[in-house]
Amino acid sequence: MDGAQRPRRRLLAAHAVHLSAHDVRLLADDGAGVAHCPGTNAKLASGIAGLTALRAGSIAVGLGTDGPASNDHLDLWEEMRLAMMSAGRQGIPLP
């Protein structure tokens, strides 16, 4: 992410499952947000977003459902359930 011209405003990075610590710092410095799509990531076996690192970097994290080609449903409630499960798997304390 460092070598290219990076947008400085209004960037919303989808998935963000393969970020280095340096990438997280760049996103934080640029004021970017991340769309966490746990259902799609699980279906495609592409990984889990590093929620702990993203939140530690004060990066805004929202939920996304992606599209029907890579997600069998567009159910945000199911995405919340999957996000909770992936957070628990990363050791993030749940309420």
Side-chain angles (χ1 to χ4, degrees):
M1 284 181 54
D2 207 10
Q5 279 277 331
R6 298 185 327 265
R8 298 284 179 185
R9 301 252 184 256
R10 302 177 56 142
L11 173 68
L12 179 62
H15 304 281
V17 294
H18 300 291
L19 298 177
S20 68
H22 180 69
D23 293 337
V24 172
R25 283 193 302 278
L26 292 175
L27 289 173
D29 290 347
D30 292 348
V34 168
H36 179 39
C37 304
T40 298
N41 296 341
K43 181 176 180 178
L44 300 177
S46 58
I48 299 172
L51 301 174
T52 304
L54 293 169
R55 294 305 303 139
S58 297
I59 296 171
V61 177
L63 285 175
T65 61
D66 226 335
S70 57
N71 190 332
D72 293 329
H73 51 79
L74 300 176
D75 183 351
L76 198 52
W77 292 105
E78 176 67 8
E79 296 299 319
M80 284 188 256
R81 186 182 74 78
L82 293 169
M84 181 188 69
M85 290 169 48
S86 71
R89 190 170 173 182
Q90 293 182 48
I92 298 172
L94 302 174

